[in-house]
Amino acid sequence: MAAPYGSGMGGFLAPRGVDFAVIGEAFEIVKRDWLQWSLFGLIGFLGIMAVSMVGQILSVPLTLASSQAGDSAAGVTAALATIPISLLTTVLQYGVYGLVYGGFALMTAKAIRGEAVDLSEGLKAFNMFGPLFLVGLLQGLVVAVGFLACCVGAIFAAGLVAAAPSIVVFERLSPVDALKKSLQMAKPFWLMAGLFAFVVQIVSGLGVILCCVGVFFTLAIAGCCFTLLYRDL
């Protein structure tokens, strides 16, 4: 099955499958206009951290109750109550990721066309805020189910739905249909897609080592990688 670049990327290509070499390709693409990519990465990072802080604030009373109650039944109950909050926070973060990766998809498409990339291109994703945020939420739910079924299942679930934001952007499908199409496209390569998503997430986190600010750059590389994955499936 030929996978479309979509209206923003033009044409059709025979699927190549999962190619880890695109991580290097993404690095070169982002490096050319690194400041613009990093600025949009900063916006995405702030959104993700905002959701994380809300989750932590909601967890504080339960954590305190658990520590004060010790090993009693009340303490165990309070500790267990933090689990759904953590899962909900993760799912909401995926909603932000859906929006951010949608912006990076637009920037990647422009770079592939040989045009200069600027922050305004990524901000166009906010015109599709609802669909991108929702597709991100659905991605988070799929990953959460994969985690609950089997911890490593989350890795492969992430790989199967990684192309969904790009599908929303370039093919204008609904979030549910985009998720279904991502599953359909990645299913023949489920093992490598999962490993690819795992490696890309490691790359995304490497920016923390670079005085934390590097995460804006590596987050951009991750977004570009997932767009190139969509291109190749």
Side-chain angles (χ1 to χ4, degrees):
M1 180 183 66
Y5 274 26
S7 60
M9 300 180 80
F12 285 74
L13 285 182
R16 295 193 308 176
V18 180
D19 186 356
F20 284 81
V22 303
I23 296 176
E25 182 182 355
F27 175 79
E28 292 299 326
I29 289 174
V30 174
K31 184 177 68 173
R32 289 199 294 268
D33 295 292
W34 66 271
L35 180 58
Q36 302 300 316
W37 289 87
S38 297
L39 286 173
F40 191 71
L42 169 61
I43 293 172
F45 180 77
L46 291 176
I48 294 164
M49 290 304 298
V51 173
S52 178
M53 289 180 63
V54 171
Q56 290 177 12
I57 291 171
L58 293 176
S59 297
V60 167
L62 296 172
T63 303
L64 291 175
S66 175
S67 62
Q68 291 172 357
D71 295 331
S72 66
V76 173
T77 300
L80 290 175
T82 63
I83 295 176
I85 293 177
S86 297
L87 288 175
L88 178 60
T89 300
T90 300
V91 170
L92 289 175
Q93 284 178 327
Y94 264 91
V96 178
Y97 274 118
L99 179 63
V100 174
Y101 285 157
F104 284 137
L106 290 166
M107 296 173 79
T108 302
K110 193 168 185 178
I112 288 175
R113 294 195 299 267
E115 302 173 25
V117 174
D118 54 35
L119 176 63
S120 63
E121 191 68 20
L123 293 176
K124 290 178 182 178
F126 286 90
N127 295 330
M128 297 174 276
F129 181 92
L132 284 172
F133 191 82
L134 182 54
V135 82
L137 289 179
L138 293 175
Q139 284 180 301
L141 288 173
V142 170
V143 172
V145 170
F147 177 80
L148 292 174
C150 173
C151 289
V152 295
I155 296 173
F156 301 107
L160 288 171
V161 298
S166 293
I167 294 172
V168 169
V169 168
F170 298 122
E171 302 185 41
R172 296 296 195 268
L173 295 184
S174 70
V176 173
D177 288 338
L179 201 73
K180 290 179 180 178
K181 182 157 188 179
S182 181
L183 289 167
Q184 180 185 23
M185 292 167 64
K187 186 177 179 180
F189 315 102
W190 67 271
L191 178 59
M192 297 304 293
L195 294 175
F196 179 84
F198 179 68
V199 172
V200 169
Q201 291 300 334
I202 291 177
V203 171
S204 178
L206 288 177
V208 177
I209 300 174
L210 303 174
C211 301
C212 291
V213 294
V215 74
F216 312 145
F217 180 78
T218 52
L219 180 60
I221 293 175
C224 186
C225 281
F226 288 131
T227 307
L228 296 176
L229 175 68
Y230 160 73
R231 177 196 68 181
D232 293 344
L233 288 177

